[in-house]
């Protein structure tokens, strides 16, 4: 309930203030498990994906954000869950897989941290783990924005990737992650101007 209320309020503010233009939303499957993989330039990226995606998106958030009772409780109620950064956090991995097993939508930032120059960077293997260990459709997404008020923010959802090719080639999680990041880079190059 809180997720949908927050989505409504944030939409009212963000769409006009950041002049959000969404392309390719129809590429997000209506049913079944989905992983939306997005570049990361700002703390505003999760709410932007949350309001532009056609499904309820669950995000990982750094564990430190859950230490305060108020913020931790709020994040949990808007479908965020904690991850210990810099470690293979088994609880976070299990939590993400559970969301996908229940045919939910997981929002992931393959870079694991924000890009300093706004360009899609290098992927960490975590996103590849989720792609290879689940039956989820993987939808690449790019956000192109400097988040200055009344400047255009572009959100582009690409076609779902063929993960099966990676499985047949026995790709590692790192290879899968890099493949996903390459799709994000391609979207960036096509739409950056």
């Amino acid at each position: 309930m809180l997720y949908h209320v927050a989505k409504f309020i944030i939409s009212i503010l963000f769409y006009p203030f950041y002049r959000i233009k969404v392309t390719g939303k129809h590429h997000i499957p209506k049913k079944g498990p989905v992983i939306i993989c997005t570049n990361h330039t700002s703390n505003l990226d999760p709410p932007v994906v949350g309001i532009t995606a056609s499904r309820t998106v669950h995000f990982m958030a750094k564990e430190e954000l859950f230490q305060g009772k108020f913020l931790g409780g709020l994040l949990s109620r808007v479908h965020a869950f904690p991850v210990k950064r810099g470690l293979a956090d088994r609880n976070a991995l299990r939590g993400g897989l559970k969301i996908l097993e229940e045919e939910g939508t997981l929002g992931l930032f393959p870079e694991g941290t924000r890009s300093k120059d706004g360009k899609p960077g290098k992927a960490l293997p975590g996103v590849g783990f989720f792609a290879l260990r689940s039956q989820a459709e993987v939808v690449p997404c790019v956000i192109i924005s400097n988040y200055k008020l009344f400047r255009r923010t572009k959100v582009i959802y690409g076609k779902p990737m063929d993960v099966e090719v990676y499985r047949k080639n026995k790709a590692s999680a790192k290879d899968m992650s890099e493949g996903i990041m390459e799709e994000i880079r391609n979207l960036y190059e096509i739409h950056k101007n």
Side-chain angles (χ1 to χ4, degrees):
M1 177 70 176
L2 181 62
Y3 181 95
H4 298 291
V5 171
K7 183 172 180 173
F8 176 73
I9 293 168
I10 293 168
S11 294
I12 289 171
L13 297 172
F14 278 35
Y15 271 95
F17 287 162
Y18 296 115
R19 296 183 57 222
I20 294 174
K21 181 183 177 194
V22 186
T23 306
K25 194 173 180 173
H26 63 280
H27 290 309
I28 302 171
K30 289 181 172 45
K31 294 181 180 176
V34 173
I35 303 170
I36 296 174
C37 299
T38 312
N39 64 316
H40 197 14
T41 62
S42 166
N43 288 329
L44 297 178
D45 294 334
V48 165
V49 172
I51 65 172
T52 59
S54 50
R55 297 178 57 160
T56 298
V57 185
H58 301 254
F59 286 101
M60 287 185 185
K62 61 184 178 181
E63 186 182 46
E64 296 82 7
L65 295 175
F66 289 83
Q67 288 171 356
K69 279 189 180 179
F70 176 75
L71 184 57
L74 183 65
L75 286 170
S76 297
R77 292 181 67 196
V78 293
H79 305 299
F81 61 101
V83 61
K84 293 175 185 169
R85 294 194 305 173
L87 301 168
D89 184 344
R90 291 183 183 196
N91 286 336
L93 296 175
R94 278 195 290 268
L97 287 175
K98 186 170 188 293
I99 288 163
L100 297 173
E101 283 163 12
E102 294 171 354
E103 303 201 344
T105 304
L106 192 57
L108 296 174
F109 300 101
E111 298 149 288
T113 190
R114 294 185 302 278
S115 162
K116 290 183 173 68
D117 62 5
K119 295 176 184 173
K122 202 171 179 188
L124 297 175
V127 68
F129 167 85
F130 287 111
L132 294 171
R133 291 287 296 271
S134 70
Q135 296 303 308
E137 296 259 28
V138 176
V139 177
C141 172
V142 71
I143 300 171
I144 302 172
S145 180
N146 57 17
Y147 289 109
K148 289 187 177 171
L149 289 178
F150 308 113
R151 298 275 179 90
R152 172 70 70 205
T153 292
K154 297 182 195 175
V155 183
I156 300 100
Y157 292 97
K159 292 179 182 176
M161 292 177 63
D162 186 357
V163 178
E164 205 50 48
V165 170
Y166 289 87
R167 286 198 190 98
K168 284 179 184 170
N169 292 330
K170 297 187 175 8
S172 67
K174 184 178 178 184
D175 292 337
M176 182 76 241
S177 293
E178 192 46 48
I180 292 167
M181 207 65 220
E182 190 58 34
E183 291 291 323
I184 294 169
R185 285 189 205 103
N186 291 341
L187 287 173
Y188 177 83
E189 289 301 321
I190 292 166
H191 297 278
K192 66 182 177 182
N193 296 323

